[in-house]
Amino acid sequence: MKSGAPSKTASTRALAFLLGLSACTVILTLAFGRGGLALAGVVAAIAACKVRVVSLDFLGLRNSRSAMFAAVNGWAMILLLVALAQRLLSH
């Protein structure tokens, strides 16, 4: 496909991966509750993976060398670092 649009199979696979990551987040949160900084780090890593999937597949940035990809990922990383810092300082 030269249009740059992801195939239906790739989109379905990306959606399944995204839903799997979301399920992992819910299961970890329910199983460990307020599990401390380690749980926050794992959930932040899962969130980073989710941002990458969304930016690559659903925003269509997989085959482009766009500054938008760096901007979206940078923005997400800043938010994740702020969330982790808040969690660390609340202890």
Side-chain angles (χ1 to χ4, degrees), residues 7 16 21-22 35 41 62 75:
S7 68
L21 288 173
S22 297
R62 178 169 294 283
W75 168 77

Side-chain angles (χ1 to χ4, degrees), residues 38-60:
L39 176 64
V42 170
V43 170
I46 291 172
C49 290
K50 288 166 66 173
V51 166
R52 187 163 172 83
V53 168
V54 168
S55 63
L56 287 176
D57 292 318
F58 294 110
L59 294 178

